[in-house]
Amino acid sequence: MTVLDRTTSTHAASNAPAPAAASEPHRATRPIGIGLALAALATVVWSGSFVTSRALADSVPPIQHAFWRWVIAIAVVAPFAARQTWRQRALLRQHLRFLLLASLLGVTIYNTLVNQAGVTTTAGNMGMIMAASPVLMAVYERLGGAKLGARRVTGMLIACAGVLVLVSGGTLAMDFAVGDLWVIAGAVAFGSYSALLKRKPAGIGGLPFLFATFTLGALMLFPVFVASYVLQGGFEPTLGTVSPLLYVGVVSSAVAFFAWNKAISIIGAARAGVVYYLQPVCVALLSFALLDEAMGWLRVMCMGLILGGVVLGAARTK
């Protein structure tokens, strides 16, 4: 807050600090609320991408699914980001190593593993296992010196317990399918990517960062895409294949990644990670509605645990 120079004793008296102090909680709460809303938006949108990964598993090879997703995302972001990216080209070259690592984790590896998982596991399992990534986000943030707070840790543990019970079917026996293991690897990649975002150079704008990481990630994925095309062949472009690809390219990539990156810049990876626990709930509901996956009392109970943990862990400490 800027302190005005006192020109007269009357002016100083008329600018008492009480009203300004009263407005500080509102100003502090507002950006946190925006950050939580952006994290929730990305989480809900990404929930749909797990459903599309499962739905396209039999018609579009996973690597081709991932590659075309990023090609579409680049085409969507380019009109808005190309000019800014060109202006910041020197800065982007300066931090090329950081951009390559972020692209590898968040673009090349993460979504490709999730798509591969969709071949042998359910969308519900993918969403539930991915909820392990906030634990890694919190660990990274704690190692960086941040204090998480008892409320946030408690909320995270409650939500995590709900996820574990849900994944194990109430037995707490971790009997994973091959696809589940792919998702676990994807969760590690995404958690590492989210933690890395806190180290993003301040001078790089949000849109140039997205455009650069999408492009670099797609370039790193291209040789594997070519191998997949040669060995597995292409896919038939129909309404049933193109529509999901447009969803993951436009909404799950361009919109959701921008919202998530912005959320982390506002509220940090640990608090955004708590909101990310909503994903298993959203995926379970979507997979029940669109893919006819089972919805029993255990899932409903665990959803209550997850939602309660999210509310507790994401709340602003007074």
Side-chain angles (χ1 to χ4, degrees):
M1 183 179 295
T2 304
V3 180
L4 299 177
D5 294 333
R6 299 179 180 178
T7 54
T8 64
S9 59
T10 304
H11 187 197
S14 65
N15 288 277
S23 66
E24 287 181 359
H26 175 71
R27 293 183 180 182
T29 303
R30 186 177 179 185
I32 291 178
I34 293 173
L36 293 174
L38 289 171
L41 171 63
T43 299
V44 171
V45 168
W46 277 330
S47 299
S49 67
F50 288 100
V51 176
T52 61
S53 293
R54 179 60 178 166
L56 292 176
D58 297 328
S59 55
V60 181
I63 293 172
Q64 296 180 40
H65 176 179
F67 179 76
W68 287 115
R69 167 182 183 154
W70 297 116
V71 169
I72 294 170
I74 292 167
V76 171
V77 173
F80 306 98
R83 182 175 297 179
Q84 296 180 41
T85 303
W86 177 254
R87 290 174 180 172
Q88 295 192 346
R89 62 190 183 279
L91 184 62
L92 294 171
R93 281 198 301 268
Q94 181 182 346
H95 298 286
L96 183 59
R97 289 184 181 179
F98 173 86
L99 293 171
L100 285 171
L101 181 58
S103 304
L104 180 67
L105 292 171
V107 176
T108 306
I109 294 179
Y110 161 53
N111 289 282
T112 305
L113 293 178
V114 170
N115 293 342
Q116 184 64 46
V119 177
T120 53
T121 192
T122 64
N125 270 25
M126 286 191 281
M128 288 181 281
I129 295 172
M130 273 303 300
S133 55
V135 177
L136 189 59
M137 296 178 208
V139 170
Y140 280 136
E141 194 156 323
R142 185 67 186 89
L143 291 175
K147 295 182 179 180
L148 303 179
R151 178 185 293 181
R152 198 179 308 172
V153 172
T154 302
M156 183 178 69
L157 291 176
I158 292 174
C160 190
V163 170
L164 289 176
V165 174
L166 198 57
V167 171
S168 65
T171 65
L172 296 182
M174 298 294 104
D175 185 16
F176 295 111
V178 175
D180 296 336
L181 298 177
W182 285 117
V183 183
I184 291 172
V188 172
F190 180 73
S192 302
Y193 167 80
S194 297
L196 188 67
L197 290 178
K198 290 296 291 183
R199 298 181 178 273
K200 183 175 77 72
I204 299 178
L207 286 175
F209 177 78
L210 277 188
F211 188 63
T213 52
F214 287 0
T215 303
L216 291 172
L219 288 174
M220 286 187 279
L221 192 59
F222 182 71
V224 191
F225 162 77
V226 172
S228 171
Y229 187 83
V230 171
L231 297 175
Q232 298 176 293
F235 63 93
E236 185 179 355
T238 65
L239 183 63
T241 56
V242 174
S243 296
L245 287 175
L246 288 174
Y247 173 83
V248 295
V250 177
V251 186
S252 290
S253 299
V255 175
F257 268 83
F258 180 82
W260 182 256
N261 295 352
K262 187 66 176 177
I264 287 182
S265 70
I266 297 173
I267 60 177
R271 183 178 267 128
V274 174
V275 178
Y276 192 78
Y277 278 115
L278 288 171
Q279 183 162 266
V281 177
C282 298
V283 174
L285 293 173
L286 287 171
S287 60
F288 171 73
L290 301 176
L291 301 179
D292 294 326
E293 293 184 3
M295 172 70 72
W297 67 268
L298 182 64
R299 280 198 173 189
V300 175
M301 183 191 73
C302 292
M303 286 178 191
L305 279 176
I306 295 168
L307 289 171
V310 168
V311 171
L312 180 64
R316 180 174 176 267
T317 304
K318 294 183 180 179

